[in-house]
mmCIF file of all heavy atoms in Angstrom:
data_model
loop_
_atom_site.group_PDB
_atom_site.id
_atom_site.type_symbol
_atom_site.label_atom_id
_atom_site.label_comp_id
_atom_site.label_asym_id
_atom_site.label_seq_id
_atom_site.Cartn_x
_atom_site.Cartn_y
_atom_site.Cartn_z
ATOM 1 N N ILE A 197 7.510 8.271 -0.255
ATOM 2 C CA ILE A 197 7.960 9.363 -1.164
ATOM 3 C C ILE A 197 7.478 10.692 -0.532
ATOM 4 O O ILE A 197 8.178 11.728 -0.447
ATOM 5 C CB ILE A 197 7.597 9.135 -2.622
ATOM 6 C CG1 ILE A 197 8.174 7.865 -3.200
ATOM 7 C CG2 ILE A 197 7.999 10.359 -3.448
ATOM 8 C CD1 ILE A 197 7.524 7.524 -4.555
ATOM 9 N N ASP A 198 6.246 10.800 -0.270
ATOM 10 C CA ASP A 198 5.657 12.043 0.207
ATOM 11 C C ASP A 198 6.317 12.517 1.507
ATOM 12 O O ASP A 198 6.657 13.707 1.702
ATOM 13 C CB ASP A 198 4.199 11.868 0.569
ATOM 14 C CG ASP A 198 3.319 11.718 -0.731
ATOM 15 O OD1 ASP A 198 3.833 11.973 -1.957
ATOM 16 O OD2 ASP A 198 2.186 11.212 -0.687
ATOM 17 N N HIS A 199 6.579 11.631 2.363
ATOM 18 C CA HIS A 199 7.231 11.962 3.650
ATOM 19 C C HIS A 199 8.715 12.270 3.493
ATOM 20 O O HIS A 199 9.284 13.080 4.190
ATOM 21 C CB HIS A 199 7.011 10.934 4.737
ATOM 22 C CG HIS A 199 5.653 11.023 5.293
ATOM 23 N ND1 HIS A 199 5.364 11.792 6.429
ATOM 24 C CD2 HIS A 199 4.498 10.434 5.019
ATOM 25 C CE1 HIS A 199 4.097 11.716 6.775
ATOM 26 N NE2 HIS A 199 3.528 10.887 5.851
ATOM 27 N N PHE A 200 9.318 11.525 2.593
ATOM 28 C CA PHE A 200 10.725 11.932 2.218
ATOM 29 C C PHE A 200 10.912 13.384 1.792
ATOM 30 O O PHE A 200 11.792 14.065 2.258
ATOM 31 C CB PHE A 200 11.257 11.023 1.095
ATOM 32 C CG PHE A 200 12.653 11.276 0.595
ATOM 33 C CD1 PHE A 200 13.755 10.887 1.442
ATOM 34 C CD2 PHE A 200 12.804 11.831 -0.577
ATOM 35 C CE1 PHE A 200 15.009 11.141 1.055
ATOM 36 C CE2 PHE A 200 14.126 12.180 -1.058
ATOM 37 C CZ PHE A 200 15.230 11.802 -0.177
ATOM 38 N N PHE A 201 10.042 13.800 0.936
ATOM 39 C CA PHE A 201 10.133 15.179 0.454
ATOM 40 C C PHE A 201 9.591 16.201 1.478
ATOM 41 O O PHE A 201 10.065 17.294 1.510
ATOM 42 C CB PHE A 201 9.406 15.345 -0.943
ATOM 43 C CG PHE A 201 10.154 14.905 -2.116
ATOM 44 C CD1 PHE A 201 9.997 13.576 -2.611
ATOM 45 C CD2 PHE A 201 11.326 15.498 -2.483
ATOM 46 C CE1 PHE A 201 10.721 13.035 -3.646
ATOM 47 C CE2 PHE A 201 12.106 15.015 -3.568
ATOM 48 C CZ PHE A 201 11.855 13.709 -4.111
ATOM 49 N N GLU A 202 8.747 15.778 2.361
ATOM 50 C CA GLU A 202 8.288 16.670 3.459
ATOM 51 C C GLU A 202 9.398 16.892 4.351
ATOM 52 O O GLU A 202 9.707 18.055 4.826
ATOM 53 C CB GLU A 202 7.148 16.036 4.217
ATOM 54 C CG GLU A 202 5.825 16.091 3.491
ATOM 55 C CD GLU A 202 4.613 15.548 4.222
ATOM 56 O OE1 GLU A 202 4.809 15.273 5.421
ATOM 57 O OE2 GLU A 202 3.633 15.258 3.635
ATOM 58 N N LEU A 203 10.182 15.879 4.722
ATOM 59 C CA LEU A 203 11.364 15.908 5.515
ATOM 60 C C LEU A 203 12.413 16.758 4.798
ATOM 61 O O LEU A 203 13.199 17.604 5.492
ATOM 62 C CB LEU A 203 11.865 14.597 5.890
ATOM 63 C CG LEU A 203 11.016 13.757 6.839
ATOM 64 C CD1 LEU A 203 11.529 12.321 6.948
ATOM 65 C CD2 LEU A 203 10.962 14.390 8.162
ATOM 66 N N ALA A 204 12.653 16.546 3.540
ATOM 67 C CA ALA A 204 13.625 17.390 2.804
ATOM 68 C C ALA A 204 13.294 18.887 2.809
ATOM 69 O O ALA A 204 14.191 19.670 3.068
ATOM 70 C CB ALA A 204 13.650 16.900 1.301
ATOM 71 N N ASP A 205 12.048 19.154 2.708
ATOM 72 C CA ASP A 205 11.598 20.616 2.736
ATOM 73 C C ASP A 205 11.828 21.191 4.099
ATOM 74 O O ASP A 205 12.356 22.281 4.339
ATOM 75 C CB ASP A 205 10.191 20.786 2.410
ATOM 76 C CG ASP A 205 9.883 20.515 0.883
ATOM 77 O OD1 ASP A 205 10.892 20.621 0.105
ATOM 78 O OD2 ASP A 205 8.701 20.253 0.563
ATOM 79 N N LYS A 206 11.528 20.344 5.188
ATOM 80 C CA LYS A 206 11.678 20.829 6.525
ATOM 81 C C LYS A 206 13.133 20.983 6.851
ATOM 82 O O LYS A 206 13.658 21.975 7.400
ATOM 83 C CB LYS A 206 11.196 19.747 7.433
ATOM 84 C CG LYS A 206 11.229 20.154 8.974
ATOM 85 C CD LYS A 206 10.753 18.972 9.817
ATOM 86 C CE LYS A 206 9.271 18.581 9.617
ATOM 87 N NZ LYS A 206 8.850 17.496 10.526
ATOM 88 N N HIS A 207 13.976 20.059 6.314
ATOM 89 C CA HIS A 207 15.458 20.146 6.564
ATOM 90 C C HIS A 207 16.057 21.415 5.949
ATOM 91 O O HIS A 207 16.831 22.084 6.492
ATOM 92 C CB HIS A 207 16.209 18.906 6.071
ATOM 93 C CG HIS A 207 17.630 18.943 6.332
ATOM 94 N ND1 HIS A 207 18.187 18.476 7.489
ATOM 95 C CD2 HIS A 207 18.643 19.386 5.520
ATOM 96 C CE1 HIS A 207 19.516 18.614 7.360
ATOM 97 N NE2 HIS A 207 19.820 19.167 6.095
ATOM 98 N N SER A 208 15.629 21.579 4.726
ATOM 99 C CA SER A 208 16.121 22.730 3.865
ATOM 100 C C SER A 208 15.756 24.045 4.613
ATOM 101 O O SER A 208 16.483 24.959 4.713
ATOM 102 C CB SER A 208 15.576 22.710 2.496
ATOM 103 O OG SER A 208 16.092 23.758 1.689
ATOM 104 N N GLU A 209 14.503 24.161 5.038
ATOM 105 C CA GLU A 209 13.972 25.331 5.678
ATOM 106 C C GLU A 209 14.769 25.701 6.930
ATOM 107 O O GLU A 209 15.248 26.826 7.251
ATOM 108 C CB GLU A 209 12.510 25.330 5.962
ATOM 109 C CG GLU A 209 11.665 25.393 4.742
ATOM 110 C CD GLU A 209 10.222 24.969 4.964
ATOM 111 O OE1 GLU A 209 9.851 24.815 6.163
ATOM 112 O OE2 GLU A 209 9.471 24.960 4.077
ATOM 113 N N THR A 210 15.016 24.580 7.680
ATOM 114 C CA THR A 210 15.702 24.813 8.964
ATOM 115 C C THR A 210 17.153 25.202 8.790
ATOM 116 O O THR A 210 17.739 26.105 9.336
ATOM 117 C CB THR A 210 15.649 23.454 9.823
ATOM 118 O OG1 THR A 210 14.356 23.141 10.127
ATOM 119 C CG2 THR A 210 16.471 23.649 11.091
ATOM 120 N N ALA A 211 17.802 24.530 7.771
ATOM 121 C CA ALA A 211 19.247 24.705 7.502
ATOM 122 C C ALA A 211 19.449 26.137 6.948
ATOM 123 O O ALA A 211 20.371 26.794 7.272
ATOM 124 C CB ALA A 211 19.722 23.703 6.462
ATOM 125 N N VAL A 212 18.584 26.584 6.036
ATOM 126 C CA VAL A 212 18.612 27.873 5.396
ATOM 127 C C VAL A 212 18.458 28.999 6.496
ATOM 128 O O VAL A 212 19.209 30.036 6.445
ATOM 129 C CB VAL A 212 17.593 28.034 4.273
ATOM 130 C CG1 VAL A 212 17.544 29.553 3.863
ATOM 131 C CG2 VAL A 212 17.923 27.122 3.131
ATOM 132 N N ALA A 213 17.618 28.722 7.430
ATOM 133 C CA ALA A 213 17.454 29.713 8.548
ATOM 134 C C ALA A 213 18.641 29.843 9.301
ATOM 135 O O ALA A 213 18.885 31.010 9.934
ATOM 136 C CB ALA A 213 16.320 29.252 9.435
ATOM 137 N N ASN A 214 19.573 28.935 9.323
ATOM 138 C CA ASN A 214 20.755 28.960 10.142
ATOM 139 C C ASN A 214 22.094 29.060 9.293
ATOM 140 O O ASN A 214 23.205 28.842 9.706
ATOM 141 C CB ASN A 214 20.910 27.808 10.997
ATOM 142 C CG ASN A 214 19.737 27.701 12.052
ATOM 143 O OD1 ASN A 214 19.658 28.481 12.966
ATOM 144 N ND2 ASN A 214 18.813 26.785 11.830
ATOM 145 N N SER A 215 21.850 29.465 7.996
ATOM 146 C CA SER A 215 22.990 29.419 7.144
ATOM 147 C C SER A 215 22.903 30.513 6.082
ATOM 148 O O SER A 215 21.838 31.003 5.732
ATOM 149 C CB SER A 215 23.050 28.083 6.294
ATOM 150 O OG SER A 215 24.076 28.225 5.342
ATOM 151 N N ASN A 216 24.053 31.082 5.765
ATOM 152 C CA ASN A 216 24.136 32.048 4.606
ATOM 153 C C ASN A 216 24.181 31.578 3.264
ATOM 154 O O ASN A 216 24.134 32.234 2.281
ATOM 155 C CB ASN A 216 25.282 33.042 4.988
ATOM 156 C CG ASN A 216 25.193 33.843 6.196
ATOM 157 O OD1 ASN A 216 24.002 34.282 6.525
ATOM 158 N ND2 ASN A 216 26.252 34.094 6.940
ATOM 159 N N ASN A 217 24.453 30.201 3.217
ATOM 160 C CA ASN A 217 24.598 29.619 1.970
ATOM 161 C C ASN A 217 23.246 28.843 1.456
ATOM 162 O O ASN A 217 23.244 27.637 1.624
ATOM 163 C CB ASN A 217 25.759 28.657 1.964
ATOM 164 C CG ASN A 217 26.241 28.241 0.549
ATOM 165 O OD1 ASN A 217 25.500 28.358 -0.349
ATOM 166 N ND2 ASN A 217 27.393 27.836 0.447
ATOM 167 N N LYS A 218 22.321 29.574 0.988
ATOM 168 C CA LYS A 218 21.098 28.969 0.672
ATOM 169 C C LYS A 218 21.176 27.910 -0.433
ATOM 170 O O LYS A 218 20.520 26.883 -0.441
ATOM 171 C CB LYS A 218 20.087 30.043 0.345
ATOM 172 C CG LYS A 218 18.656 29.559 -0.026
ATOM 173 C CD LYS A 218 17.732 30.705 -0.165
ATOM 174 C CE LYS A 218 16.268 30.258 -0.510
ATOM 175 N NZ LYS A 218 15.403 31.286 -0.695
ATOM 176 N N SER A 219 21.982 28.247 -1.393
ATOM 177 C CA SER A 219 22.033 27.385 -2.511
ATOM 178 C C SER A 219 22.495 25.935 -2.272
ATOM 179 O O SER A 219 21.942 24.896 -2.743
ATOM 180 C CB SER A 219 22.947 27.898 -3.736
ATOM 181 O OG SER A 219 24.245 28.038 -3.252
ATOM 182 N N ASN A 220 23.524 25.864 -1.353
ATOM 183 C CA ASN A 220 24.017 24.446 -0.935
ATOM 184 C C ASN A 220 22.969 23.669 -0.261
ATOM 185 O O ASN A 220 22.812 22.527 -0.536
ATOM 186 C CB ASN A 220 25.248 24.636 -0.048
ATOM 187 C CG ASN A 220 26.457 24.980 -0.826
ATOM 188 O OD1 ASN A 220 26.419 24.919 -2.086
ATOM 189 N ND2 ASN A 220 27.511 25.427 -0.210
ATOM 190 N N GLU A 221 22.165 24.389 0.562
ATOM 191 C CA GLU A 221 21.110 23.614 1.322
ATOM 192 C C GLU A 221 20.043 23.118 0.404
ATOM 193 O O GLU A 221 19.411 22.151 0.577
ATOM 194 C CB GLU A 221 20.550 24.583 2.355
ATOM 195 C CG GLU A 221 21.417 24.960 3.443
ATOM 196 C CD GLU A 221 22.106 23.810 4.177
ATOM 197 O OE1 GLU A 221 21.490 22.721 4.218
ATOM 198 O OE2 GLU A 221 23.176 23.947 4.743
ATOM 199 N N ASN A 222 19.711 23.894 -0.698
ATOM 200 C CA ASN A 222 18.687 23.490 -1.613
ATOM 201 C C ASN A 222 19.178 22.471 -2.609
ATOM 202 O O ASN A 222 18.339 21.747 -3.233
ATOM 203 C CB ASN A 222 18.049 24.687 -2.309
ATOM 204 C CG ASN A 222 17.274 25.610 -1.384
ATOM 205 O OD1 ASN A 222 16.743 25.097 -0.417
ATOM 206 N ND2 ASN A 222 17.237 26.860 -1.663
#
Side-chain angles (χ1 to χ4, degrees):
I197 297 170
D198 292 343
H199 280 271
F200 176 74
F201 282 102
E202 285 178 16
L203 290 171
D205 288 343
K206 184 187 300 183
H207 180 88
S208 181
E209 290 170 3
T210 301
V212 168
N214 295 290
S215 172
N216 293 322
N217 195 342
K218 182 174 181 177
S219 61
N220 284 346
E221 295 302 338
N222 288 336

